[in-house]
Amino acid sequence: MLSDSDYLDEPDIPTLPDWVQALDDSAEKPVTRAGGIGIQWHVWGEGKPLYLLHGGHGSWMHWARNIEWLSRNFRVMAADLPSAGDSETFDTDDLQELAKLVAAGIDELAGGEPVRGAGFSFGSVIGSLCLKYIETGVDAYALVGSPLLGGRSGVDGKLRKWRGMPVPEHRVAAHAHNVGLLMLTGAESVTDEATAIQMAHAEKARPRKRGLFHNLDLLGEIEAWPGQLTVIYGSEDAIARKHLDERQANVERIKPGSEFHVIPDMGHWVQYQAADQVNDILMRRLD
């Protein structure tokens, strides 16, 4: 682990931009309580219900650059998943159980209407498991930066640990490093805004048990679902970039007629980094 002395170039502490705070302030904020676990939602807009699920150690803010656009056509329902953001902690060995809680919350908010969905990274896994639990049905679903559609590259050994660092500026440096390495496309792509968003939700997240992806057959879950599938990656996704051809072949095998998009020069957090392109794809495919 790096010590405080390894962080000599200390950045200023970034804060969330005004537009993110205004987006937060404009949301309805219902809490669902399936299984006795409070899940915090942020809801905007009118129209067909669309659920958005964030990545690991994230929050609804993983979708911050997509919400205003999508809420023009949809009732956008963005969760803080259990053990993340402002939702309550749910300690489990079984992601199916977590998905049941989320699906029950989606059904409650959807008011009996069929829904659309999109999940990012860890949220794409939970959203895929939800497909069979959502009682009203899911007509169309998009996986963004999904970790489980094929081979994976690991970055865990390269990420900097920030928990327990007593100096705030040193934590900022660690978060900025991690954003560049895992979420975007290197140090040159890191901005104060991206770092502030990462800090805001990562420091609220409660650690989950390791090995939760074991015994999951995500491709099988998706194959059994009859709706319309869209998959989106950045070409420089730190987890998937070496395995995109394999992942595309897997998707084409289980879901002929799906769309598989690779956006050039973008990283894992592609819906933030290439928001306009991703928004256009989601608006067309989820409508």
Side-chain angles (χ1 to χ4, degrees):
M1 178 176 176
L2 296 175
S3 67
D4 285 351
S5 63
D6 292 302
Y7 297 87
L8 300 179
D9 296 325
E10 296 178 359
D12 294 331
I13 299 175
T15 58
L16 288 173
D18 290 344
W19 71 266
V20 174
Q21 186 60 58
L23 190 62
D24 185 18
D25 292 343
S26 69
E28 302 173 40
K29 297 179 183 176
V31 176
T32 60
R33 296 195 173 276
I37 304 298
I39 299 178
Q40 179 67 67
W41 298 82
H42 287 64
V43 179
W44 299 263
E46 302 291 338
K48 302 168 186 175
L50 166 63
Y51 68 88
L52 300 178
L53 304 182
H54 61 77
H57 298 95
S59 73
W60 68 270
M61 287 186 286
H62 270 159
W63 296 97
R65 286 189 171 180
N66 317 104
I67 287 165
E68 191 277 332
W69 182 262
L70 292 173
S71 65
R72 297 175 187 179
N73 278 22
F74 299 99
R75 184 168 185 252
V76 174
M77 310 179 303
D80 283 354
L81 292 170
S83 299
D86 292 326
S87 290
E88 295 177 1
T89 300
F90 182 58
D91 190 17
T92 183
D93 294 315
D94 187 352
L95 290 183
Q96 298 281 0
E97 294 304 312
L98 193 156
K100 289 177 184 177
L101 302 182
V102 176
I106 292 167
D107 275 322
E108 180 179 334
L109 296 179
E113 294 186 53
V115 300
R116 283 86 173 140
F120 167 58
S121 195
F122 177 79
S124 77
V125 177
I126 302 304
S128 297
L129 299 181
C130 284
L131 295 172
K132 64 179 178 291
Y133 297 125
I134 295 172
E135 294 181 357
T136 57
V138 182
D139 291 339
Y141 181 58
L143 297 97
V144 181
S146 185
L148 293 187
L149 297 180
R152 298 175 65 197
S153 300
V155 297
D156 287 350
K158 301 175 184 177
L159 296 172
R160 291 182 180 174
K161 296 180 180 179
W162 51 267
R163 292 186 189 275
M165 279 189 173
V167 180
E169 290 82 1
H170 297 171
R171 291 204 305 276
V172 173
H175 284 300
H177 169 84
N178 294 345
V179 167
L181 178 67
L182 175 61
M183 302 295 282
L184 302 177
T185 51
E188 69 285 351
S189 67
V190 177
T191 63
D192 284 350
E193 178 178 286
T195 301
I197 293 173
Q198 176 73 10
M199 289 177 59
H201 46 221
E203 298 211 359
K204 286 186 175 182
R206 282 75 80 196
R208 293 189 176 92
K209 296 177 181 178
R210 291 187 174 272
L212 291 177
F213 288 166
H214 293 170
N215 301 319
L216 288 182
D217 179 12
L218 198 69
L219 291 169
E221 299 273 358
I222 296 167
E223 185 175 21
W225 164 69
Q228 175 173 275
L229 180 68
T230 304
V231 179
I232 306 172
Y233 285 103
S235 67
E236 304 309 308
D237 188 307
I239 295 171
R241 64 186 173 209
K242 297 179 181 179
H243 310 280
L244 289 172
D245 289 344
E246 174 196 352
R247 287 162 177 254
Q248 184 167 5
N250 286 339
V251 169
E252 290 174 351
R253 173 175 55 82
I254 65 165
K255 278 288 186 186
S258 299
E259 287 193 9
F260 192 102
H261 296 269
V262 178
I263 299 180
D265 304 319
M266 297 295 139
H268 184 57
W269 195 7
V270 64
Q271 79 274 22
Y272 175 86
Q273 205 172 13
D276 289 346
Q277 292 159 275
V278 173
N279 289 343
D280 287 345
I281 294 168
L282 293 180
M283 190 73 84
R284 176 175 57 82
R285 291 288 289 173
L286 298 177
D287 197 8

